[in-house]
Amino acid sequence: MELKELFRILSERAVSDGWEPVLHYLFRPGQQYVEYPSGQPLPDAMYTLVHRIEYDAIPLVATNTETEDALRTQRLVYHPDTETYYYGVITNPLGELDCVVCWYAVPALLNDALTQWLNRYWSNRDTERFLDELILR
């Protein structure tokens, strides 16, 4: 299974299983985070969660998809202290600086399957070629 397939499955599971976003905000560069869609400042208590996901968690894999009206980034990160995977969708409308960020805590029952998939994914990569491709992009 390729990376895009993993994100397709996570996206479908988030919808079909009714995952509630743990964070849903609008990021405005140079300004504070604001709740989406209300536009109110993000409550102070939520900044702990922003920090846990955006800064403390280990980034694992990501993919970008461009449509005619937006750039969509899907990310998977892991926070070892809480043993939680987070699935994120960042949507940046083309021509806009603001982006809408939505993070879901992946249910713990999927942890083993995700860990196994990621181990297979990374063990099947030609790391040297992969790094060369990243540098050349």
Side-chain angles (χ1 to χ4, degrees):
M1 173 173 31
E2 286 297 315
L3 198 53
K4 288 189 186 245
E5 180 70 6
L6 170 69
F7 284 117
R8 184 190 63 75
I9 291 169
L10 287 173
S11 179
E12 287 177 1
R13 291 292 298 263
V15 172
S16 67
D17 295 353
W19 298 356
E20 290 292 323
V22 293
L23 274 175
H24 198 188
Y25 62 89
L26 182 65
F27 176 73
R28 291 189 173 136
Q31 297 180 15
Q32 62 190 27
Y33 300 94
V34 295
E35 285 185 333
Y36 182 83
S38 73
Q40 297 298 312
L42 201 62
D44 289 341
M46 296 305 287
Y47 279 93
T48 301
L49 193 52
V50 168
H51 198 274
R52 175 187 305 157
I53 296 171
E54 302 263 347
Y55 301 101
D56 294 341
I58 300 165
L60 299 171
V61 289
T63 188
N64 291 321
T65 307
E66 189 171 328
T67 64
E68 57 189 50
D69 59 347
L71 175 64
R72 183 174 184 217
T73 302
Q74 293 176 288
R75 296 179 59 203
L76 183 65
V77 301
Y78 181 72
H79 189 259
D81 293 347
T82 59
E83 297 182 346
T84 304
Y85 284 99
Y86 290 97
Y87 164 62
V89 180
I90 299 98
T91 305
N92 181 231
L94 295 178
E96 302 276 333
L97 292 177
D98 297 353
C99 59
V100 177
V101 180
C102 187
W103 284 102
Y104 301 91
V106 177
L109 62 97
L110 297 177
N111 279 8
D112 287 341
L114 273 174
T115 300
Q116 289 174 14
W117 187 90
L118 289 161
N119 285 337
R120 280 193 313 271
Y121 178 79
W122 286 110
S123 68
N124 290 330
R125 306 302 298 161
D126 177 351
T127 308
E128 187 174 324
R129 192 183 98 234
F130 178 72
L131 292 174
D132 285 344
E133 289 175 6
L134 284 177
I135 292 168
L136 295 174
R137 286 183 192 196

